Amino acid sequence: MDVRIRTALISVYSKDRIDEIARLLDNLEIKILSTGGTYDYLQKQGFKVTSVESVTGYPSIFGGRVKTLHPKVMGGILYRREDDGDLMELEKFDIPPVDLVIVDLYPFEQTVATTRDENEIIEKIDIGGISLIRAAAKNFRDVLIIPSSGHYNHLIELLQNKKGMTSLEDRKFFAAQAFNVSSHYDTKIFEYFNREQNIPAFKKSISTSFPLRYGENPHQQAHFYGDLDEVFTQLHGKAISYNNIVDIDAAIALIKEFSEPTFVIIKHTNACGVASRTNLKDAWADALACDPVSAYGGVIIANRPIDVNVAEELNKLFFEILIASEYDEKALEILKSKKNRILLQEKPVNFSEIQFKSVLNGALVQEKDMKTETEADFHLVSKKAPANTEISDLIFANKIVKHQKSNTIVLVKGKQLIGSGTGQTSRVDALKQAIKKAHDFGFELKGAVMASDAFFPFADSVEIASGEKITAVVQPGGSIKDADSISFCDEHEMSMVFTGIRHFKH
């Protein structure tokens, strides 16, 4: 059923384009009711506007906390146009009908992001506005609700095209938008209070999203919820895909572990190349050498600016994505030679330390694995202590193993990943895969170190490692047969340290 708008109530924080809306309403002979700052603004702009206070007979009280919470306001929105009882009460209490409600809420979320002043934050919890939104949305059969400044453009188009008429389809569409706005707003308020209270409830609201070409596979639909513009600027290339986003996340998480000039190459969320060197060009050459086959079509990230010399080397490889904080102008010219190649300029951003994923009929929520072991965390369990170079490599290897899919073994030599076994159902299989990778690409394992994401249930892994002349091992420890692995190391002049920290990743 089409409804003609005769009276509009405007109560907004953002005044952008509100004068344009008021002019359209005025031209369509739609009466305007307004409150507080909005009323003052519209009057100064020369519009004929009626104050809510003159309708209710009550002034704005308690410093503006109470303005629209009155039966003459809520009644005009909520009464049912086809209900005889409602119509009688409307007339009895002299309640003016309201057909259009325009609201823009106090910026609570933005206030939380910019201040720690609790009084200022609390005063940005909108009460009247959220009540107007819910009331108008509930009565969508008769009332049109515009719940935020983000919907002003759509209202302007509606007023211009339909000359003050609205369809049930229009009103129901905006009702859904309204409950999206109100639920997001309430979730952000809950998140603020729950920082201290830790109420065990899972609530997450992200209002920014965009559709992806498809999900992990072409037959799966997918969206990304979030604002990628906060994380990076895309300088070149095709649209980012679902799998790209997952790999970018893995790449950024791993590169943050390193302070020296470092390159990381990611394939299906696992590192297939990592190297730290005194300069970025050498770091790239050695990261690529780890597994140049897997690097093809991979996601690459560096923790230093990309100059022309590095760009020339990178350009020799087909890869999907390159991420860096800066690019030289000439480097960009070279890298843009492939039209589909995605080039991202990373921005400084602090990510949440909480992660979640949907499983079964609910969600798993946990703290991210933020523990990065240093030499101080190493507990020597073998008779032989690792040399200084081995300690450096053990730290390096342990950083990588934390980010690989379990079960995983990482082999490192000279701050270069030389072999990795990932996602295996047994630790021995992961080690055998890592050794094979190292052999396939011509690495000498003598003097290399080994890192494991979890304890060795038996001594077989250190036995195999010893056979390859691997000299030092880092693992969490905790097996009932730890003594067997330790004894073997002692008998074969290997050093082993425990961290006490497991790094499973599923």
Side-chain angles (χ1 to χ4, degrees):
M1 180 180 70
D2 286 354
V3 171
R4 175 171 292 281
I5 302 170
R6 302 184 186 280
T7 302
L9 171 60
I10 307 176
S11 180
V12 297
Y13 180 84
S14 172
K15 309 300 189 294
D16 292 343
R17 301 198 74 183
I18 208 68
D19 53 339
E20 185 178 348
I21 291 170
R23 190 171 296 107
L24 285 168
L25 295 174
D26 194 46
N27 292 339
L28 293 167
E29 298 182 349
I30 296 170
K31 182 180 180 180
I32 301 174
L33 303 178
S34 194
T35 64
T38 309
Y39 172 80
D40 293 339
Y41 175 81
L42 291 173
Q43 268 213 324
K44 288 178 181 177
Q45 298 298 312
F47 293 105
K48 184 179 179 181
V49 56
T50 301
S51 70
V52 165
E53 290 85 351
S54 68
V55 173
T56 64
Y58 277 85
S60 172
I61 57 176
F62 308 132
R65 282 189 164 198
V66 180
K67 296 189 286 284
T68 57
L69 295 174
H70 191 281
K72 281 201 170 185
V73 176
M74 291 299 177
I77 297 168
L78 282 165
Y79 86 94
R80 291 157 291 190
R81 272 60 170 174
E82 297 178 357
D83 186 289
D84 290 340
D86 284 9
L87 291 169
M88 288 177 61
E89 289 183 316
L90 189 80
E91 185 175 355
K92 178 180 178 180
F93 296 108
D94 191 27
I95 297 173
V98 175
D99 313 298
L100 167 64
V101 176
I102 305 171
V103 176
D104 187 62
L105 297 169
Y106 292 158
F108 176 83
E109 191 174 353
Q110 294 89 331
T111 304
V112 170
T114 55
T115 183
R116 293 184 178 181
D117 185 333
E118 185 167 86
N119 289 329
E120 185 178 350
I121 291 169
I122 297 306
E123 288 307 312
K124 287 299 189 291
I125 298 177
D126 206 310
I127 303 300
I130 206 78
S131 300
L132 291 173
I133 287 174
R134 292 177 63 84
K138 177 177 179 176
N139 205 22
F140 68 87
R141 294 190 180 280
D142 300 304
V143 180
L144 177 68
I145 174 63
I146 302 300
S148 77
S149 59
H151 298 94
Y152 288 175
N153 285 344
H154 201 150
L155 173 62
I156 289 169
E157 291 177 11
L158 197 66
L159 293 171
Q160 289 173 337
N161 296 334
K162 294 196 172 183
K163 309 301 181 185
M165 299 294 293
T166 67
S167 67
L168 180 60
E169 183 181 8
D170 294 329
R171 298 190 297 276
K172 198 166 186 178
F173 168 80
F174 279 106
Q177 297 293 324
F179 285 118
N180 181 36
V181 169
S182 65
S183 64
H184 177 79
Y185 197 79
D186 284 341
T187 297
K188 293 304 174 182
I189 295 171
F190 171 77
E191 287 177 355
Y192 172 75
F193 280 96
N194 208 39
R195 291 176 180 180
E196 296 180 2
Q197 304 305 320
N198 294 317
I199 297 169
F202 178 71
K203 299 179 189 296
K204 191 69 178 175
S205 179
I206 303 173
S207 57
T208 305
S209 71
F210 63 88
L212 302 170
R213 296 196 307 273
Y214 51 80
E216 284 185 283
N217 301 292
H219 63 276
Q220 295 171 266
Q221 294 184 358
H223 273 73
F224 176 77
Y225 292 90
D227 187 358
L228 290 180
D229 289 338
E230 293 180 354
V231 182
F232 50 72
T233 300
Q234 183 166 352
L235 304 176
H236 184 71
K238 62 184 179 181
I240 293 172
S241 72
Y242 180 103
N243 291 331
N244 290 157
I245 291 172
V246 175
D247 284 341
I248 290 167
D249 180 68
I252 290 174
L254 180 51
I255 199 68
K256 287 182 181 296
E257 301 280 1
F258 302 97
S259 57
E260 297 176 274
T262 302
F263 259 107
V264 169
I265 307 170
I266 295 289
K267 196 69 171 288
H268 297 299
T269 74
N270 291 304
C272 61
V274 185
S276 293
R277 294 292 180 261
T278 56
N279 65 81
L280 203 59
K281 185 176 179 181
D282 288 347
W284 166 246
D286 288 343
L288 178 61
C290 173
D291 186 349
V293 174
S294 295
Y296 183 87
V299 172
I300 302 167
I301 189 166
N303 62 357
R304 294 290 192 279
I306 304 296
D307 63 23
V308 64
N309 293 324
V310 175
E312 286 174 346
E313 296 303 312
L314 286 163
N315 201 46
K316 297 174 182 177
L317 176 74
F318 168 76
F319 58 87
E320 280 215 55
I321 300 173
L322 176 62
I323 310 162
S325 60
E326 294 179 47
Y327 298 83
D328 288 356
E329 187 175 338
K330 289 184 178 180
L332 275 178
E333 289 179 15
I334 293 168
L335 294 167
K336 287 181 177 180
S337 62
K338 304 291 191 294
K339 71 173 185 176
N340 288 328
R341 177 184 286 162
I342 297 169
L343 303 177
L344 304 177
Q345 185 167 354
E346 188 181 3
K347 299 177 181 179
V349 58
N350 293 320
F351 295 104
S352 171
E353 294 185 5
I354 300 297
Q355 61 185 178
F356 56 89
K357 64 179 177 180
S358 61
V359 292
L360 302 175
N361 61 343
L364 286 171
V365 181
Q366 69 170 353
E367 296 175 342
K368 288 182 179 177
D369 185 355
M370 304 298 291
K371 177 65 176 174
T372 299
E373 289 81 8
T374 65
E375 184 179 357
D377 298 298
F378 288 175
H379 173 56
L380 181 64
V381 294
S382 60
K383 292 178 181 178
K384 182 181 179 182
N388 288 336
T389 55
E390 289 174 326
I391 290 172
S392 177
D393 280 350
L394 288 170
I395 293 170
F396 188 91
N398 211 48
K399 289 177 178 180
I400 299 170
V401 85
K402 164 184 167 182
H403 293 268
Q404 305 288 74
K405 293 288 187 181
S406 298
N407 289 311
T408 181
I409 294 288
V410 162
L411 306 179
V412 163
K413 189 175 181 180
K415 293 186 179 179
Q416 178 187 21
L417 176 65
I418 61 173
S420 177
T422 60
Q424 298 302 301
T425 52
S426 81
R427 203 149 300 281
V428 167
D429 284 346
L431 175 55
K432 289 179 178 178
Q433 184 188 55
I435 291 169
K436 183 179 186 305
K437 284 278 190 180
H439 288 165
D440 286 349
F441 297 108
F443 289 103
E444 171 60 62
L445 285 171
K446 184 178 180 180
V449 306
M450 173 172 70
S452 175
D453 62 330
F455 66 65
F456 297 117
F458 306 102
D460 47 6
S461 292
V462 290
E463 291 170 5
I464 295 169
S466 175
E468 297 292 333
K469 309 295 187 199
I470 291 167
T471 55
V473 181
V474 58
Q475 59 139 321
S479 168
I480 60 173
K481 295 193 175 183
D482 277 345
D484 293 347
S485 295
I486 296 170
S487 294
F488 184 89
C489 287
D490 288 341
E491 292 167 6
H492 293 81
E493 291 292 306
M494 294 176 70
S495 61
M496 179 182 285
V497 295
F498 284 2
T499 65
I501 303 295
R502 190 181 73 184
H503 289 297
F504 270 167
K505 186 178 181 186
H506 291 96

